[in-house]
Amino acid sequence: MVRVVAGTIVSGIGVLFLLVGSLGVFRMPDVYNRLQAGTKCTTLGACLAAVGVGIIEPQWFWKTFVIALFILVTNPISNHAIGRASKKSGVPLCDRSVVDVTENLKEYEGRS
Amino acid sequence: MSDTANERTGRARDYCYLFVMLFAIWMVLTSSLQWQEVITGVLVSVVLAVYLGRTYATLGMPPLSVKRIGYFIVYLAVLSMEIVRANFEVAYIVLHPKLPIKPGVVAVKTCLKQDIAKTILANSITLTPGTFTLDIIDDTLLVHWIVVRSEDNEETARLISGRFEKYLKAVFA
């Protein structure tokens, strides 16, 4: 019983973070800020949701732990890949941006 | 082609790392100690380690020592704290009615040498509050920052990567 309650609470917190993350994807002004909301919140959200299931069903705990670990390792890489591809193909930063060092780099010349 | 003794121990070390990692994942996924399962796991891990060892060796993993493992555990603790903080910070920005962002792309210099160390640093930056790594050019990381607090090179390095760099430097030195 305690296990079910604890697992549900952990999963619930995870789902809340996922909700905030998807809300962020709507509210943010450009692709880079959307990536921030879309990865930060979903990393912890998905990990907590998985581990919560593992707490409810103890024989699955280590499997869900490995799932959480793989999410932690792979999520930043997909984030980086999308961000880099957007920058390389010339997607501009939003109007509220204050600084962009890529303007002075030869690797990014003529791409925005 | 004759390898030096140093290179050979280095390669053996890489095979061992890969074997231990694969076997640990196998044990967790099967979660049983029956001897048939364990033996199958050992065989599969050995075959995969021998087959993939060359690719894995290009990462340049450092030799194992107690000090390195200690620093790595401290690093993981710092990282988990930062991940939780990152989530609350971004959640706060998303839920704030005025959306208090001040985004920008800044450059962060790093003194780490190995590719694996730079990769770990870049991924840690992505997981921490309001920053993600766009690109790495030589020893400069291009970082998108959701609330730019400083445009000065040294100040950004201290704020963004300073927390992790000192531990990673100790691990990979």
Side-chain angles (χ1 to χ4, degrees):
Chain A
M1 192 59 211
V2 177
R3 239 178 27 227
V4 175
V5 172
T8 312
I9 291 173
V10 172
S11 284
I13 295 172
V15 171
L16 270 181
F17 274 119
L18 286 172
L19 177 72
V20 171
S22 38
L23 197 66
V25 172
F26 278 105
R27 291 205 67 199
M28 292 297 185
D30 68 353
V31 63
Y32 307 102
N33 292 309
R34 283 182 178 159
L35 273 177
Q36 297 263 15
T39 37
K40 295 282 161 7
C41 293
T42 53
T43 311
L44 192 65
C47 288
L48 285 181
V51 171
V53 173
I55 293 172
I56 296 173
E57 294 283 342
Q59 72 266 38
W60 294 351
F61 180 78
W62 288 106
K63 283 179 188 145
T64 55
F65 183 76
V66 171
I67 294 174
L69 213 64
F70 278 128
I71 293 173
L72 269 184
V73 175
T74 52
N75 228 357
I77 296 173
S78 59
N79 179 0
H80 155 76
I82 300 171
R84 184 165 181 268
S86 311
K87 196 79 197 123
K88 288 258 174 191
S89 54
V91 178
L93 295 175
C94 73
D95 303 336
R96 291 167 73 178
S97 304
V98 288
V99 54
D100 184 4
V101 289
T102 60
E103 279 167 359
N104 313 321
L105 291 172
K106 64 174 189 302
E107 279 85 353
Y108 285 90
E109 228 164 52
R111 285 186 191 268
S112 53
Chain B
M1 220 162 54
S2 65
D3 298 346
T4 62
N6 214 352
E7 267 174 23
R8 222 174 297 145
T9 52
R11 199 168 306 143
R13 195 173 64 223
D14 288 322
Y15 286 119
C16 287
Y17 279 151
L18 192 56
F19 170 77
V20 168
M21 237 155 60
L22 290 168
F23 188 62
I25 292 172
W26 173 277
M27 287 309 284
V28 171
L29 287 180
T30 58
S31 18
S32 92
L33 282 173
Q34 281 183 304
W35 65 270
Q36 296 101 322
E37 301 254 21
V38 175
I39 287 179
T40 317
V42 170
L43 286 178
V44 171
S45 307
V46 166
V47 170
L48 279 177
V50 168
Y51 186 62
L52 298 172
R54 281 287 161 116
T55 325
Y56 185 78
T58 53
L59 289 177
M61 297 290 273
L64 216 55
S65 77
V66 177
K67 198 183 116 219
R68 286 206 170 93
I69 295 175
Y71 272 112
F72 196 68
I73 289 169
V74 175
Y75 160 76
L76 286 181
V78 173
L79 181 65
S80 348
M81 287 295 300
E82 292 294 331
I83 290 172
V84 175
R85 249 189 62 206
N87 278 272
F88 280 104
E89 197 174 311
V90 174
Y92 167 78
I93 291 174
V94 168
L95 294 174
H96 196 284
K98 280 190 188 138
L99 211 60
I101 55 170
K102 199 176 135 199
V105 178
V106 295
V108 176
K109 277 235 184 292
T110 174
C111 51
L112 298 170
K113 297 282 182 295
Q114 299 94 331
D115 284 350
I116 178 78
K118 282 185 203 165
T119 311
I120 293 178
L121 181 67
N123 275 4
S124 320
I125 288 174
T126 302
L127 284 169
T128 51
T131 50
F132 81 82
T133 316
L134 268 177
D135 205 349
I136 302 181
I137 299 168
D138 297 330
D139 62 343
T140 309
L141 288 94
L142 303 178
V143 175
H144 181 271
W145 206 353
I146 201 163
V147 184
V148 176
R149 296 208 184 85
S150 156
E151 293 173 27
D152 177 59
N153 266 344
E154 279 169 23
E155 190 70 6
T156 54
R158 194 180 63 78
L159 284 170
I160 294 176
S161 65
R163 293 174 290 232
F164 307 118
E165 210 167 13
K166 56 174 183 273
Y167 299 116
L168 284 177
K169 223 188 293 172
V171 172
F172 288 98

